[in-house]
Amino acid sequence: MSQWYKLVVQRAHIGAGRQDTTTAYIFANNIAEVLNRYKNMPGVKNYIKEKNRFPDVSPLPAKDALELEKLKPSR
């Protein structure tokens, strides 16, 4: 079953030695698919090593997912 996942990730390209985090939302079938998409996200540090922490991934509660769906642009 597909659902929304919330990721807290480290931003990239903000200068040497500086760190900042941002929140991203991904609609996927499971955690493995979320991590595969995370590897290709632009603007975030997606190479995990000592300095770059693993992203915080959590399923989005149904109430928050509905709010997020309202923000989605219609095609």
Side-chain angles (χ1 to χ4, degrees):
M1 183 174 118
S2 297
Q3 67 178 23
W4 284 99
Y5 290 89
K6 177 181 176 181
L7 285 84
V8 178
V9 297
Q10 283 192 335
R11 292 182 53 205
H13 314 293
I14 58 171
R18 295 181 60 201
Q19 292 185 357
D20 190 20
T21 59
T22 189
T23 304
Y25 299 95
I26 295 178
F27 190 75
N29 293 323
N30 54 39
I31 296 285
E33 187 178 333
V34 170
L35 293 177
N36 283 337
R37 289 188 188 181
Y38 164 74
K39 290 179 190 176
N40 297 316
M41 285 177 66
V44 300
K45 293 185 178 184
N46 36 28
Y47 178 70
I48 300 168
K49 55 184 178 182
E50 270 186 44
K51 289 187 217 174
N52 301 339
R53 62 186 181 94
F54 197 76
D56 294 331
V57 180
S58 60
L60 205 58
K63 178 185 168 204
D64 295 339
L66 289 174
E67 298 258 340
L68 192 60
E69 288 285 335
K70 289 179 188 175
L71 298 175
K72 227 168 74 170
S74 59
R75 293 183 182 181

